[in-house]
Amino acid sequence: MDLEEVYRRDLNLFVALKVLIEEGSVQRSAVRLNLSQSAMSRVLGRLRELLNDPLFIRQGQHLQPTQRALEISRAVNEPLESLRMLLSPTDFEPKLCTQHFSIATTDYAMQTILPYALPRIYEEAPNISLAFSPLKHEQILEQLTTAGCDMAICRPTANIEPLEREKLGFVSVFCMLSKSHPLADKELTLADYLAYPHALIAISDGVKSLLDTAINGYTQPKTLLRAYHLEAALAIVDKMPLIITVPADLAYLVAEKHGLIVKSLPFEFKPFEYSLIWHPRCEHSAAHIWLRNLLKEQCGKLIDKRVQDMGLV
């Protein structure tokens, strides 16, 4: 039978069949399904016509199901139970979740925000799986629709309608120098910033554009290195007097570990907003709501803490 033909059948009749088998009585089944006894009798007639079987044999006041009725009841038991569970409001239990989530992230989020949230995620839901994809700002709508990503963590650079969005917090940019840098013990001035070679780490095109705009009218500094991860800059930081420009949160995390000195930008730079973005198709999924809430709580808490500790606002 084609699916279209199944659609034209009254599948509620299978629920009625199960109730009739459980109750063994048209009258009791009618009460349970909130029908009149005559309406319940008509339902039984439609069932017999649909399934081409008498389905029940009357024995005194009791209806005895036929073998065909019992076979059909067993066959539909699992799908009916699945539908019942699907339509029943239940509290989401992360520990029982086995869902796969795909998240599009920037290099900044991958190195700073997510490592802070992952322990909590897997503590609550040890059986889920996560996959991370590089965020493509110009294709974010495609990534969250046809490309299969469930959500994104980024700074939106354009209109993202019809996607949903919630702010995580504010991010700024800092500089890091090696302890052997000529400016290590000095205040970083704009002239110094422009004069020394630079490495840009985990700085997106959009954030680089903000930096370029902030020093518009001056000679742009020479960028010797641009990379996703800090290791590339660490390999040469003692060989060259690099000014390493990174998201402030990354500086917060790695400076002490690698013996680097953090300097504020020597020009005005307004912190920018980072957001959690998702497609409306995921809006009401219990599993997605749980993950979004956890990410918002953990990531927002982390960003707010760093903003306050580092005096970014």
Side-chain angles (χ1 to χ4, degrees):
M1 182 181 292
D2 293 336
L3 193 61
E4 294 82 359
E5 183 63 23
V6 174
Y7 172 76
R8 287 189 282 271
R9 302 301 176 96
D10 185 357
L11 300 184
N12 285 330
L13 292 174
F14 290 106
V15 177
L17 176 62
K18 283 194 65 63
V19 172
L20 281 163
I21 290 175
E22 291 172 4
E23 297 295 339
S25 163
V26 170
Q27 182 179 9
R28 289 196 298 272
S29 296
V31 171
R32 186 166 160 187
L33 294 176
N34 197 28
L35 296 173
S36 66
Q37 187 167 340
S38 59
M40 193 70 220
S41 295
R42 289 194 294 272
V43 167
L44 177 55
R46 291 166 60 195
L47 269 167
R48 286 168 167 163
E49 181 181 351
L50 173 66
L51 300 174
N52 193 29
D53 189 87
L55 299 177
F56 295 92
I57 306 298
R58 181 171 294 280
Q59 293 185 346
Q61 298 298 314
H62 186 77
L63 293 179
Q64 180 70 35
T66 65
Q67 187 61 32
R68 174 69 169 152
L70 293 174
E71 290 171 356
I72 293 171
S73 178
R74 284 194 293 267
V76 301
N77 185 61
E78 185 174 338
L80 285 178
E81 181 62 17
S82 296
L83 282 172
R84 188 187 69 80
M85 295 297 295
L86 181 65
L87 297 173
S88 299
T90 57
D91 294 329
F92 176 70
E93 296 186 45
K95 288 189 182 299
L96 302 180
C97 183
T98 59
Q99 192 158 335
H100 175 79
F101 299 92
S102 179
I103 303 176
T105 73
T106 61
D107 299 311
Y108 156 73
M110 193 70 246
Q111 294 183 69
T112 57
I113 297 175
L114 287 165
Y116 185 78
L118 284 174
R120 169 86 180 278
I121 290 173
Y122 282 107
E123 179 184 353
E124 291 194 12
N127 299 309
I128 69 166
S129 61
L130 296 172
F132 300 106
S133 304
L135 184 104
K136 302 174 183 177
H137 283 282
E138 68 282 1
Q139 298 174 28
I140 186 171
L141 181 57
E142 179 183 345
Q143 283 189 286
L144 292 178
T145 51
T146 58
C149 289
D150 299 303
M151 59 191 74
I153 302 174
C154 67
R155 166 189 169 265
T157 58
N159 180 24
I160 61 168
E161 292 181 352
L163 301 176
E164 304 290 342
R165 169 184 178 182
E166 184 146 350
K167 182 180 74 174
L168 291 175
F170 289 94
V171 179
S172 191
V173 174
F174 272 14
C175 298
M176 296 192 299
L177 312 175
S178 74
K179 292 182 178 179
S180 61
H181 196 287
L183 301 175
D185 298 323
K186 300 179 182 179
E187 180 182 354
L188 181 62
T189 67
L190 178 57
D192 292 330
Y193 181 87
L194 299 174
Y196 281 85
H198 283 253
L200 300 179
I201 305 299
I203 298 292
S204 67
D205 289 342
V207 176
K208 185 179 185 304
S209 178
L210 293 176
L211 288 166
D212 292 344
T213 300
I215 54 174
N216 186 37
Y218 295 92
T219 302
Q220 292 292 317
K222 183 178 182 180
T223 300
L224 296 185
L225 175 68
R226 188 174 181 187
Y228 301 131
H229 298 283
L230 184 65
E231 284 75 9
L234 292 175
I236 60 174
V237 72
D238 290 326
K239 308 291 184 183
M240 307 187 72
L242 283 178
I243 295 177
I244 306 173
T245 303
V246 297
D249 304 276
L250 184 55
Y252 180 93
L253 283 176
V254 304
E256 183 176 355
K257 177 181 177 182
H258 295 291
L260 300 173
I261 297 171
V262 178
K263 302 278 187 180
S264 297
L265 291 172
F267 51 84
E268 184 177 355
F269 185 84
K270 186 177 180 181
F272 51 88
E273 189 176 288
Y274 239 67
S275 297
L276 180 62
I277 300 169
W278 63 94
H279 194 277
R281 74 175 186 279
C282 305
E283 177 73 11
H284 301 293
S285 164
H288 284 261
I289 292 171
W290 163 78
L291 183 57
R292 291 199 305 265
N293 287 341
L294 190 149
L295 283 171
K296 286 184 286 187
E297 178 184 342
Q298 295 297 105
C299 302
K301 187 187 302 182
L302 175 66
I303 292 176
D304 287 344
K305 182 178 187 303
R306 293 177 188 167
V307 165
Q308 295 301 321
D309 288 354
M310 301 179 79
L312 299 180
V313 293

